[in-house]
Amino acid sequence: MAEATAPKPSSSVKLVLLGEAAVGKSSLVLRFVNNDFQENKEPTIGAAFLTQKCNLPTRTIKFEIWDTAGQERFASLAPMYYRNAQSALVVYDLTKPTSLIKAKHWVAELQRQASPGIVIALVGNKLDLTNESSGSGNALGEDSETDAAEGENDDGDARKVSTAEAKTYAEEEGLLFFETSAKNGTNVTEVFTAIANAIPETSLKGARGPGATQSSANRTEDQSRVNLTGPRDSASKEGCAC
Amino acid sequence: MFNFSSLVQKAQSFIDPTQALNISPSDRNPAKSTLFRHQFRLPDSQTPLQEITAEITISPPVAYSPNATQGEKDKDRDRGYHYEGKLHLSEAYLCFSTQPTSFLQSASTSTSSGFTGQTHGGGPGGNGFTLPLCAIRRVERLHSQQYQFALAITTWNGLTNSPTNDAAKTPAPQQKITIQLAGTRQACERFCDGLKKGLKGGVGDVGKLKKVVAECYSEYLLQPGETKKDGKKDSVPPDAGLGMIFRYPGDHKKLRDRSKMRLWGEYLRDYGRNVTLIRQPTFHKLIRVGLPNRLRGEIWEQTSGSLFLRLENPMLFADTLAKYEGRDSLAIDEIEKDLNRSLPEYPGFQSEEGIGRLRRVLTAYSWTNEEVGYCQAMNIVVAALLIYMSESQAFFLLSTLCDRLLPGYYSTTMYGTLLDQKVFESLVEKTMPILWDHLVKSDVQLSVVSLPWFLSLYINSMPLVFAFRVLDVFFLEGPKVLFQVGLAILRINGEELLDAADDGAFISVLKSYFSKLDESAHPKSENAKLRAVTRFQELMVVAFKEFSGITQNSITEQRMKHKNSVLNGIESFAKRTSIRNLGPDSKRLSVDDLGSLYDRFYGVLYERQQRSQIIMEETERRDRARRAKAAEVVTGLSENQVVEKGRVGLGPSPTLMDYDGFREFLAGMARWAITDSPSPPGKDNTSESEKHSYFGNSVRRREVSLSPWGPGNPEPADHEFMQRLFRRWDVDMNSALTLQNVVTGLAHIKGKGDIMGSITYFFELYDDDGDGKVDREGILRISEALLFLSRRGLEGSLTPSSSMTGLSEYEADNPNPYQPEGMQGNTNERFLSSVSAFIRRCFEYADPDHPQNKVTEVEESASDGLADPDSFGIGDDSDEEEDLLDLGDSAPVRGKKPTGIPSIPAASDKSDIRNRSVSKAHAEAANAALDPSKPLHITLPTFRMVVLADELLEQFFESSFPASFRISDKMVAAASSSASSLTTFSNIGFGRSTPQPSVGGTSSAGLVPPGKGLRGVLDNIVTDGMRVAAEVRRRMDEAQKELEQNAVHRPDDDEDDEEGYDEPRTPGGNAGRTVRSEDRDLLEGADAEAMSLRGQDGVSEVKQQDSLTPTAGRSRSASVVSSKVIEFER
């Protein structure tokens, strides 16, 4: 598993995904790791573990991703998973306002309990269910599935959480912020790249990358393609931890 | 694996295996019957009634002739299988096991290991049977010359469902069991009597039995007229799961399903099927090699005991679905989210049929156990079950899983899961220390890997075929199997795992192992036989051979060991989360305060539940003891059973606080909320006060131990003000408060320390209809409340030692020269006068123009010309408003009131009423404003003005009222010079952490007999509050006169008092001196009297009082407190 063959300095970064049940945490990871999407993803029991590398211009970041179960009662297991995490992806479903509330709780929990300096990204998933999905993704990863976004029916906008609302909150709390679609891949790699960039070079500790907002993430994105080297199949395909 | 098993055995001899076998909070049964039920997998309704040593003979399957002679019978006996063991009788079951009896009260722990310990593959029931009495067709008593008793039991085996027409053709061989009872004649007779009674009761259940049995595939399999080819049977086979429609997972040929089926067919034919099955060694072996698809569900049901649950209430599943049809719940929402994603790789769960079944089972279960509801992973487990069994079977098996096999796994806090992870980790540490060290060094957290194994019973970790093999054994042998398999997995992969340096590598080793379970374990071996051994077989061997030392006992022991730390972890997480989610109002309080509030809130709920539980148990125990005598029930109630219900970490705990809980909650926080009359009525006052003056709290605590408030807790008061507060906080109007309500409520009071805010708040409390007006009654109640709140002194900055209010006689005898006497006494006197001034002013400025009272106004002016509020106010205006500090002459009179307060139980109805009538008379005579026929009201601005007009009231609202809710004990700690000793104390959190001194201070205060003499009247006035406002007023008007009367009046009364209880308290010459000094004091006048009265409480009292007012007199009181605390902690 340890394929530390990159010439560039490589470091592992522990990333934990948190958020309400069925907001698409596992799907985001699946998209990021395998560039795949499953309509009926088995619920995560406890947590799933996957890894994926992310090549930055100056270094390679190997994400060790802990994808946690979303059901409320699993929350008490969470500390087990976010222990020592250097970054976190807090996901909500932008068609479901309650999931943002839950996300805020997670952010607060992380800020208080997780390792200091943890990089947190707030992610509104299921952008494909909204009307503007085609507009917001600048689709630069290898997964340029703009066609999928294009074909979105515009009969109903299922969005219930406005971008502004979530973004304001994210800025207040100093979080990275993205709206994504795991289904069609919009912004997924961008999230991880931005996190990779925001992880401080030194010992991966210290202050949260302040300038790493969406815009800055997009700016650096050209050079920092995420290495989606094929499916690391058997090891990462199944959503369960073992 | 070194000496692990011996270690375990040693541990077993220390730990009572009966404890915490099932740590589920609902399982509060006496240990013996719990064990009994677990051993035979019986429903909770069963208790062991009789037991006797016996030998059973199972007649060989070949023809049995009912007319055989004794000799033939003996021959039969020789030919059949014999087992020696214990025969047990419960209400509805006859059970036999060869396993040593585990639950005799006299049995030592080592003998009980048969059940809780190693089962040698036999399962807890061992060889034997669990026979529902309704499945017994006939019991004959055989006359055996040799020795005692022999019974021949004929069962309904195979007869319940045989089609009537076929019956004649090939009568199913009757199943007969011969039982030789070994014991005294008497014991045997007794057993038989019990059996007879049970059989009678069982007759009614034959109908149920038929229904239940009809769903068992074995009935169909063994149906007479069966053709081996499985081809044409006239009846439809019962539902043996989705597999019948969508195929069973795995390759039939490879699994050798057909030969397994044949073996089972034979076994079931010979030794009984479903409910009448007799467990013999072959049975266990057959299970170990894997169950055949179509029988799998039924055998699961049989070995886990869910079959008996189903027998108990066959229609429960259908009825539950029908009952709750169309209703919605959170659990249902959650279930719906997961239906499409449960074992999606199995074709049955991509169909409406499969999904429908899954939905129905999960939904029905969520209704029958709303505490658990639905937990992710249940969907996977149930989906797996549904491949092999019908919906109803899966429903009952799920119940058994949640309630018995996996206690707490799926609860809302999942404490069972977390606990078993800890247990698993500790087992790894013990059995594989090198691997464990490696894990620790590389910072790999084992539980993140193993948690899904346990939670979903390996179903989504291993390929399905193998997971089902694990389940086969799991249902037979119990939860330990999960641990054994888990340990074996790590053991087998040990080498590779030692090379894995991080979580990722660790996980991938295991993942690839799971994917290769079907491969040969020794692919390179020369030996063909060895080559044929698959990795899965190897796993099973390692699990059950190498880890045979892992027993239910060792697991129980470990569970006990880790339980508290796991629960604490969950609880602190829950606390954090819950505090964070309290919403914007909570921001007005500090984080520490919120934490303490949380602790107090749940502490009170928890304690209350504990207490009611204990009381309930006590009655139950008594009931049972009574019954036990009559019916000779052999129940052993474990004395030290841990009462756990209501603990947050265990899952759903109460979240609502009723009014009584609220009183207790307040009493833990605010001094004024502790009652003045804590002692049970009818107690001898003399002896009580005697104890009190000397032993203070410790004695008191013991006395209260029977009270509903729990030992050591102060009894809360019950004042109208508290009721109002409760109603005010109860914004949801459900007569109960949530933590949110409490926090919001307190946030408004303590929030900003804004005086206008708290004045408004107070006013609104009394503005019942919300029209911005408080009427006469309201004004009086407000003043009552003010006095109620201040009767133990005021918090905050009023004076440095405002604590000295609750004084009692004692101090009078021993005036403490070191006690600074002036200030604080005056404050309370002053506050009293402030309150009375408040009333006066309220009436003065009240607005008589109450629109709805126009009519009465006319009447009243007719009836009483003096009714004009203005006119009554004038009288003492001059006296009062000149200078508040210059109350020299009137103050003493009033000053006696606070000092006397304690003597009157606030809640004492009698004295209330008595004084009310007295005061009413006074009031009406003196003050027309109190004339009930004259309406008046004040508005908020008026109220505000009146409050602000008085310095003390202003201070009260500004600081002391908010400060009287002392949320965290930290305040004390902060002021303490030895704060370190207090840290634990302030963290205790539960109600019992209430500083004991408060009890002493208040309770002793409550001991003064009410209503004696003039002082009694004054006391009552205070307690009665402003019902007697006019009395107070009149007093102020006539201060001088009163004083004279006083001086004349008091001595006699007081002498009575002192004789009552001072003498015993102060032995020796003190008494005489006391009286004299008291006399002298009284003669010296009111001023002196006030002083001495204040002094009466004694040094000890003062200290205790001080400890309650941390803000006042910081340094001094703090040190006192800390010393107290140390004592308390000791």
Side-chain angles (χ1 to χ4, degrees):
Chain A
M1 197 86 172
E3 303 161 282
T5 46
K8 283 178 280 189
S10 164
S11 45
S12 336
V13 166
K14 179 169 172 182
L15 181 144
V16 61
L17 273 99
L18 296 166
E20 205 179 68
V23 293
K25 294 180 295 299
S26 301
S27 296
L28 276 174
V29 179
L30 190 66
R31 170 63 69 192
F32 174 58
V33 173
N34 283 358
N35 196 12
D36 190 9
F37 181 76
Q38 286 175 11
E39 200 67 53
N40 291 323
K41 190 96 185 55
E42 269 192 48
T44 310
I45 303 305
F49 178 83
L50 304 96
T51 58
Q52 175 65 295
K53 277 186 198 154
C54 184
N55 279 318
L56 299 182
T58 55
R59 55 184 169 151
T60 302
I61 298 279
K62 182 184 158 203
F63 278 116
E64 295 177 349
I65 302 164
W66 286 100
D67 173 21
T68 65
Q71 199 190 7
E72 181 70 39
R73 66 187 69 188
F74 282 81
S76 58
L77 311 186
M80 205 156 87
Y81 300 111
Y82 65 62
R83 189 184 67 118
N84 296 336
Q86 292 132 310
S87 56
L89 218 65
V90 178
V91 188
Y92 68 94
D93 176 348
L94 43 72
T95 67
K96 223 179 138 206
T98 54
S99 69
L100 179 62
I101 293 171
K102 185 73 200 158
K104 289 179 181 176
H105 291 161
W106 278 124
V107 170
E109 168 80 7
L110 287 171
Q111 286 173 342
R112 196 174 303 172
Q113 296 296 328
S115 19
I118 186 171
V119 175
I120 304 175
L122 182 68
V123 172
N125 192 31
K126 305 199 181 174
L127 192 60
D128 50 286
L129 296 178
T130 67
N131 286 334
E132 76 265 41
S133 59
S134 49
S136 47
N138 48 8
L140 268 167
E142 291 179 16
D143 52 330
S144 48
E145 298 183 18
T146 35
D147 50 334
E150 215 90 312
E152 203 53 56
N153 53 351
D154 41 7
D155 54 1
D157 187 348
R159 179 191 279 277
K160 295 269 169 54
V161 179
S162 76
T163 310
E165 181 194 351
K167 196 168 182 172
T168 313
Y169 166 74
E171 274 162 12
E172 278 168 18
E173 300 292 332
L175 318 172
L176 303 172
F177 173 68
F178 290 91
E179 289 188 342
T180 63
S181 162
K183 189 170 184 176
N184 57 34
T186 312
N187 260 349
V188 174
T189 50
E190 285 81 346
V191 176
F192 288 90
T193 315
I195 290 175
N197 277 313
I199 303 273
E201 197 101 20
T202 52
S203 83
L204 310 157
K205 263 195 173 182
R208 186 172 308 147
T213 59
Q214 184 167 5
S215 59
S216 78
N218 289 346
R219 199 184 60 238
T220 55
E221 190 169 289
D222 263 282
Q223 311 112 316
S224 61
R225 293 245 165 141
V226 173
N227 173 19
L228 290 172
T229 47
R232 302 170 42 80
D233 40 39
S234 66
S236 46
K237 198 160 211 162
E238 282 178 19
C240 62
C242 35
Chain B
M1 58 172 228
F2 62 110
N3 56 352
F4 176 58
S5 24
S6 73
L7 204 144
V8 167
Q9 244 139 41
K10 202 180 268 175
Q12 281 167 1
S13 59
F14 291 121
I15 307 256
D16 179 3
T18 61
Q19 282 232 323
L21 184 87
N22 178 347
I23 59 157
S24 128
S26 59
D27 194 301
R28 344 183 4 79
N29 307 298
K32 174 173 172 162
S33 42
T34 309
L35 281 171
F36 171 70
R37 288 193 288 268
H38 282 231
Q39 173 162 19
F40 294 107
R41 310 293 164 114
L42 293 175
D44 284 347
S45 57
Q46 302 300 306
T47 49
L49 300 177
Q50 307 256 355
E51 70 177 50
I52 196 164
T53 311
E55 180 187 329
I56 63 163
T57 305
I58 296 149
S59 9
V62 262
Y64 169 81
S65 55
N67 303 320
T69 65
Q70 188 56 48
E72 280 172 309
K73 274 180 186 164
D74 285 347
K75 235 164 73 196
D76 266 358
R77 238 166 55 80
D78 292 339
R79 292 210 316 270
Y81 295 94
H82 304 283
Y83 295 100
E84 273 181 52
K86 280 263 173 172
L87 191 65
H88 302 267
L89 186 71
S90 77
E91 286 85 348
Y93 289 86
L94 183 67
C95 310
F96 180 83
S97 171
T98 55
Q99 296 282 352
T101 305
S102 46
F103 36 77
L104 251 188
Q105 236 164 356
S106 58
S108 72
T109 46
S110 56
T111 60
S112 68
S113 65
F115 165 53
T116 48
Q118 297 187 30
T119 52
H120 302 292
N127 297 317
F129 55 78
T130 304
L131 201 59
L133 292 180
C134 59
I136 293 174
R137 195 183 181 194
R138 198 169 55 232
V139 177
E140 296 162 86
R141 182 153 158 196
L142 301 176
H143 296 286
S144 138
Q145 293 107 333
Q146 302 125 311
Y147 48 101
Q148 331 83 353
F149 265 72
L151 300 175
I153 290 177
T154 315
T155 68
W156 282 107
N157 180 44
L159 297 175
T160 45
N161 278 56
S162 62
T164 41
N165 48 343
D166 283 357
K169 240 190 332 192
T170 40
Q174 288 187 342
Q175 183 188 34
K176 270 215 167 179
I177 306 162
T178 313
I179 303 173
Q180 299 267 0
L181 301 182
T184 63
R185 184 155 203 94
Q186 219 177 2
C188 295
E189 290 285 4
R190 210 167 47 215
F191 191 90
C192 290
D193 284 348
L195 181 60
K196 218 182 282 170
K197 222 164 84 193
L199 284 171
K200 268 186 213 140
V203 172
D205 291 334
V206 177
K208 280 186 190 172
L209 179 74
K210 286 189 175 174
K211 192 173 280 156
V212 166
V213 156
E215 279 186 56
C216 291
Y217 191 81
S218 56
E219 290 295 329
Y220 173 80
L221 182 75
L222 300 179
Q223 206 169 310
E226 163 197 8
T227 52
K228 269 287 179 213
K229 296 290 165 278
D230 210 86
K232 29 185 177 321
K233 280 188 192 173
D234 36 1
S235 53
V236 186
D239 188 357
L242 287 166
M244 291 178 86
I245 311 169
F246 299 96
R247 298 177 59 82
Y248 294 100
D251 180 350
H252 289 226
K253 284 229 178 75
K254 224 165 152 190
L255 293 172
R256 305 186 56 202
D257 200 55
R258 188 145 295 183
S259 29
K260 283 179 187 167
M261 205 64 177
R262 272 195 297 271
L263 287 168
W264 274 100
E266 207 170 282
Y267 186 90
L268 297 176
R269 190 175 304 114
D270 293 350
Y271 306 116
R273 59 195 77 163
N274 47 65
V275 292
T276 52
L277 186 135
I278 297 168
R279 297 180 299 267
Q280 300 206 60
T282 331
F283 177 73
H284 306 297
K285 265 182 223 152
L286 281 170
I287 289 177
R288 276 286 170 86
V289 300
L291 290 165
N293 291 329
R294 284 170 189 247
L295 278 174
R296 182 165 258 154
E298 182 185 328
I299 305 293
W300 283 354
E301 210 188 7
Q302 222 272 337
T303 52
S304 70
S306 71
L307 175 65
F308 307 123
L309 270 187
R310 190 156 67 90
L311 179 62
E312 201 169 51
N313 194 351
M315 296 308 291
L316 183 62
F317 174 67
D319 291 348
T320 308
L321 279 180
K323 185 172 163 196
Y324 292 99
E325 189 173 5
R327 286 187 42 191
D328 248 324
S329 73
L330 173 68
I332 290 178
D333 289 349
E334 291 177 324
I335 289 167
E336 289 297 325
K337 266 186 203 167
D338 289 348
L339 285 176
N340 287 322
R341 32 189 212 150
S342 313
L343 294 190
E345 67 269 27
Y346 182 74
F349 293 109
Q350 286 158 21
S351 77
E352 261 318 301
E353 176 63 27
I355 288 173
R357 291 188 188 196
L358 186 59
R359 172 185 291 122
R360 286 189 290 273
V361 173
L362 289 173
T363 307
Y365 185 74
S366 78
W367 287 122
T368 54
N369 189 348
E370 292 189 62
E371 278 196 8
V372 167
Y374 167 73
C375 175
Q376 285 184 335
M378 272 162 73
N379 62 328
I380 290 169
V381 171
V382 172
L385 300 183
L386 282 173
I387 298 177
Y388 294 100
M389 53 191 0
S390 70
E391 290 169 48
S392 163
Q393 287 173 311
F395 168 78
F396 286 104
L397 188 47
L398 178 62
S399 289
T400 305
L401 272 174
C402 295
D403 296 344
R404 196 170 283 179
L405 294 173
L406 307 174
Y409 270 43
Y410 302 128
S411 83
T412 45
T413 60
M414 302 184 70
Y415 70 91
T417 309
L418 286 167
L419 178 55
D420 275 3
Q421 288 314 298
K422 270 272 171 311
V423 171
F424 185 61
E425 285 180 347
S426 72
L427 290 177
V428 171
E429 185 180 359
K430 271 185 185 167
T431 57
M432 290 171 263
I434 299 175
L435 179 64
W436 179 253
D437 283 350
H438 173 71
L439 291 177
V440 172
K441 244 182 263 154
S442 18
D443 199 22
V444 172
Q445 207 170 350
L446 181 62
S447 54
V448 299
V449 181
S450 55
L451 187 135
W453 298 352
F454 286 77
L455 204 53
S456 59
L457 306 174
Y458 295 95
I459 291 167
N460 69 345
S461 305
M462 290 183 190
L464 280 184
V465 246
F466 300 120
F468 290 131
R469 293 279 306 274
V470 174
L471 280 187
D472 292 345
V473 189
F474 167 73
F475 286 125
L476 178 68
E477 297 189 32
K480 70 174 178 105
V481 170
L482 300 178
F483 292 91
Q484 287 174 312
V485 172
L487 290 170
I489 291 170
L490 297 181
R491 162 63 51 85
I492 291 169
N493 294 286
E495 295 288 312
E496 284 178 77
L497 292 176
L498 282 176
D499 291 335
D502 59 18
D503 295 303
F506 199 80
I507 286 167
S508 82
V509 167
L510 295 173
K511 235 176 208 176
S512 80
Y513 171 71
F514 285 133
S515 65
K516 286 186 282 189
L517 276 177
D518 55 343
E519 293 171 12
S520 167
H522 312 280
K524 286 171 193 146
S525 170
E526 300 279 304
N527 186 336
K529 252 191 186 160
L530 258 182
R531 259 205 318 277
V533 173
T534 64
R535 281 165 182 266
F536 180 75
Q537 285 167 325
E538 180 197 35
L539 176 65
M540 298 300 265
V541 169
V542 173
F544 300 122
K545 284 264 156 63
E546 196 166 335
F547 291 101
S548 61
I550 306 299
T551 62
Q552 201 58 51
N553 240 5
S554 44
I555 286 162
T556 302
E557 170 210 346
Q558 292 290 332
R559 280 182 182 167
M560 284 308 277
K561 196 170 136 196
H562 295 285
K563 185 172 162 186
N564 269 326
S565 73
V566 167
L567 286 178
N568 290 341
I570 293 172
E571 276 159 12
S572 74
F573 179 84
K575 179 176 167 182
R576 238 166 35 222
T577 314
S578 135
I579 288 174
R580 209 170 44 229
N581 297 353
L582 280 174
D585 278 332
S586 67
K587 300 286 187 288
R588 296 196 205 172
L589 298 172
S590 76
V591 177
D592 283 349
D593 276 357
L594 288 174
S596 315
L597 263 185
Y598 178 95
D599 288 345
R600 284 183 186 283
F601 184 83
Y602 285 105
V604 166
L605 290 182
Y606 173 77
E607 293 233 316
R608 291 182 63 78
Q609 195 166 11
Q610 295 283 290
R611 284 198 294 269
S612 68
Q613 201 79 47
I614 287 165
I615 291 166
M616 250 178 53
E617 244 171 44
E618 195 51 42
T619 34
E620 208 174 282
R621 187 187 316 230
R622 264 182 237 140
D623 282 359
R624 208 178 271 258
R626 227 177 297 131
R627 261 187 286 134
K629 258 191 200 142
E632 214 182 352
V633 183
V634 228
T635 44
L637 275 154
S638 160
E639 291 285 336
N640 43 0
Q641 198 133 94
V642 195
V643 185
E644 283 287 5
K645 201 147 178 76
R647 186 155 177 185
V648 174
L650 284 171
S653 51
T655 54
L656 291 175
M657 182 179 270
D658 60 5
Y659 176 62
D660 281 342
F662 179 66
R663 286 166 59 199
E664 201 177 330
F665 173 72
L666 283 183
M669 240 177 12
R671 254 189 304 159
W672 45 259
I674 297 167
T675 186
D676 295 325
S677 57
S679 39
K683 278 240 175 186
D684 178 18
N685 263 321
T686 313
S687 68
E688 276 252 304
S689 55
E690 194 178 354
K691 282 179 209 157
H692 274 286
S693 40
Y694 283 119
F695 306 107
N697 318 318
S698 58
V699 175
R700 155 112 248 107
R701 240 181 288 166
R702 228 170 295 138
E703 279 165 4
V704 184
S705 67
L706 288 173
S707 88
W709 309 106
N713 288 341
E715 183 177 329
D718 182 8
H719 189 268
E720 199 239 357
F721 174 75
M722 291 160 80
Q723 293 163 17
R724 284 181 183 272
L725 209 56
F726 182 77
R727 281 200 299 272
R728 172 77 190 259
W729 289 8
D730 180 20
V731 286
D732 314 319
M733 310 288 260
N734 48 12
S735 301
L737 302 180
T738 60
L739 177 63
Q740 177 73 66
N741 294 151
V742 168
V743 167
T744 310
L746 270 176
H748 283 292
I749 292 176
K750 283 186 82 82
K752 287 178 286 203
D754 149 32
I755 181 169
M756 288 308 170
S758 48
I759 292 175
T760 310
Y761 195 89
F762 215 88
F763 184 82
E764 284 169 2
L765 269 183
Y766 286 85
D767 182 10
D768 290 324
D769 43 10
D771 62 354
K773 293 167 183 166
V774 170
D775 60 5
R776 181 203 329 269
E777 181 69 10
I779 295 169
L780 292 178
R781 287 189 186 283
I782 288 179
S783 5
E784 273 179 12
L786 290 175
L787 288 175
F788 170 72
L789 293 173
S790 66
R791 75 194 196 289
R792 282 188 217 297
L794 298 168
E795 308 273 348
S797 52
L798 287 185
T799 121
S801 47
S802 58
S803 50
M804 316 244 324
T805 43
L807 309 169
S808 72
E809 274 81 350
Y810 188 55
E811 192 64 325
D813 321 328
N814 308 302
N816 186 346
Y818 303 110
Q819 216 53 56
E821 300 216 324
M823 286 285 288
Q824 71 269 26
N826 279 338
T827 306
N828 294 294
E829 291 152 18
R830 282 169 53 209
F831 191 76
L832 189 71
S833 67
S834 293
V835 171
S836 61
F838 163 80
I839 304 170
R840 193 173 39 72
R841 288 192 187 120
C842 276
F843 286 134
E844 190 175 335
Y845 298 110
D847 181 357
D849 259 343
H850 210 290
Q852 69 196 52
N853 287 322
K854 289 264 183 210
V855 185
T856 44
E857 200 184 355
V858 179
E859 283 172 14
E860 128 223 335
S861 58
S863 68
D864 192 345
L866 292 172
D868 184 4
D870 286 336
S871 70
F872 98 87
I874 294 166
D876 42 65
D877 229 10
S878 50
D879 178 72
E880 272 302 299
E881 295 210 321
E882 281 168 2
D883 188 354
L884 278 166
L885 293 174
D886 188 14
L887 283 166
D889 28 12
S890 55
V893 186
R894 278 176 251 119
K896 281 180 294 185
K897 290 168 206 155
T899 57
I901 288 175
S903 55
I904 304 298
S908 160
D909 286 342
K910 267 186 205 157
S911 64
D912 246 41
I913 292 161
R914 177 155 33 88
N915 285 291
R916 203 157 287 184
S917 55
V918 170
S919 62
K920 211 162 230 168
H922 281 300
E924 271 157 25
N927 195 339
L930 288 177
D931 178 357
S933 63
K934 178 164 172 46
L936 52 84
H937 66 257
I938 54 166
T939 58
L940 176 59
T942 316
F943 180 68
R944 206 180 277 151
M945 181 189 77
V946 170
V947 167
L948 293 179
D950 184 293
E951 190 193 354
L952 273 178
L953 281 180
E954 186 184 337
Q955 274 186 35
F956 173 80
F957 281 104
E958 181 155 32
S959 57
S960 44
F961 174 58
S964 70
F965 296 89
R966 290 170 310 115
I967 297 175
S968 6
D969 299 312
K970 287 241 174 71
M971 286 166 71
V972 183
S976 162
S977 50
S978 56
S980 58
S981 68
L982 281 164
T983 29
T984 45
F985 178 65
S986 65
N987 289 339
I988 289 171
F990 284 162
R992 73 176 87 90
S993 71
T994 314
Q996 281 307 314
S998 67
V999 189
T1002 57
S1003 59
S1004 77
L1007 295 167
V1008 186
K1012 282 217 177 172
L1014 183 54
R1015 192 194 318 171
V1017 174
L1018 292 169
D1019 293 343
N1020 289 349
I1021 287 167
V1022 173
T1023 315
D1024 202 351
M1026 283 341 236
R1027 292 251 166 244
V1028 290
E1031 176 82 351
V1032 178
R1033 237 173 53 73
R1034 194 170 56 80
R1035 247 167 235 299
M1036 294 195 299
D1037 291 343
E1038 309 165 348
Q1040 215 45 49
K1041 225 196 305 172
E1042 279 282 313
L1043 277 175
E1044 284 157 26
Q1045 281 177 6
N1046 239 352
V1048 178
H1049 233 81
R1050 282 200 61 97
D1052 313 335
D1053 289 337
D1054 267 341
E1055 258 166 1
D1056 293 345
D1057 280 4
E1058 311 300 351
E1059 273 160 32
Y1061 35 138
D1062 256 355
E1063 276 178 307
R1065 277 194 284 165
T1066 53
N1070 259 357
R1073 196 182 53 83
T1074 299
V1075 179
R1076 256 179 279 122
S1077 70
E1078 178 73 358
D1079 283 339
R1080 199 172 50 245
D1081 283 349
L1082 285 164
L1083 290 173
E1084 276 167 20
D1087 265 312
E1089 187 191 4
M1091 299 287 208
S1092 63
L1093 277 173
R1094 204 187 26 64
Q1096 276 174 358
D1097 232 11
V1099 187
S1100 62
E1101 291 298 329
V1102 169
K1103 277 185 192 164
Q1104 289 173 344
Q1105 290 289 334
D1106 268 355
S1107 68
L1108 288 168
T1109 51
T1111 43
R1114 287 218 163 186
S1115 55
R1116 185 171 53 91
S1117 64
S1119 62
V1120 174
V1121 170
S1122 59
S1123 68
K1124 284 273 174 210
V1125 169
I1126 292 160
E1127 271 175 56
F1128 177 72
E1129 283 186 332
R1130 246 188 264 132

